[in-house]
Amino acid sequence: MAAKLGGSGGGKYHVEQNAEINVTPFVDIMLVLLIIFMVASAVATPGVEVKLPIALVPPSDNPPKPVFISITTDGRVYIGDGESSYDTLGSDLTAQIGRRDPTKERIYIRGDQDTRYGDFMQAMNSLQDAGFYSVALVGEDKG
């Protein structure tokens, strides 16, 4: 905060407080930033004019709905929301995906953190026996 020295009355050592805000440094900084952004935007625009060709890309098919397999703590296995068994897991999954190629399907496995490793391996073996080789494990993001 600034102070005024001197002024009317009050004697030789009387000091008044000046409550006015000095905006000059603020305006100086803003003008410098404005000049920097003006120069940077002029440099960022390309100077060479190019007529780009039109891209003729056929429309892509909608990706198939992902298939989730869930394994609960007590060892039950589900395809989506429907319950299955380890013996029929591959055939149930093949029936669900229809005509799509099992070798190109990505299967997402969700397992409870207390699921036995043997149950998980049994599900993996059933998937591999049915031709499903692309498997992704789903975990919870920490954050």
Side-chain angles (χ1 to χ4, degrees):
M1 195 178 296
K4 268 189 199 175
L5 295 177
S8 61
K12 180 175 170 183
Y13 298 106
H14 181 72
V15 176
E16 284 184 34
Q17 289 187 353
N18 182 5
E20 295 176 14
I21 297 174
N22 188 1
V23 295
T24 304
F26 177 72
V27 171
D28 289 345
I29 290 172
M30 295 308 292
L31 287 174
V32 168
L33 287 175
L34 178 67
I35 291 169
I36 289 172
F37 287 132
M38 286 172 53
V39 169
S41 68
V43 171
T45 56
V48 178
E49 194 171 317
V50 176
K51 185 175 180 182
L52 297 174
I54 297 172
L56 297 175
V57 179
S60 62
D61 296 334
N62 289 337
K65 184 178 177 185
V67 179
F68 286 96
I69 293 179
S70 302
I71 305 172
T72 60
T73 306
D74 57 356
R76 290 183 291 164
V77 64
Y78 294 86
I79 299 174
D81 292 333
E83 190 168 357
S84 182
S85 69
Y86 294 105
D87 297 331
T88 62
L89 182 63
S91 60
D92 291 345
L93 194 54
T94 304
Q96 184 172 349
I97 66 166
R99 293 184 181 181
R100 298 188 307 230
D101 185 11
T103 59
K104 295 182 181 175
E105 282 293 317
R106 174 164 284 179
I107 308 300
Y108 297 93
I109 296 183
R110 300 171 57 232
D112 191 88
Q113 64 183 359
D114 296 326
T115 300
R116 290 186 24 212
Y117 184 69
D119 293 336
F120 173 76
M121 286 306 299
Q122 194 172 358
M124 290 288 292
N125 290 335
S126 296
L127 290 174
Q128 287 181 351
D129 290 343
F132 296 96
Y133 301 113
S134 179
V135 176
L137 303 179
V138 178
E140 187 174 344
D141 289 337
K142 188 174 186 177

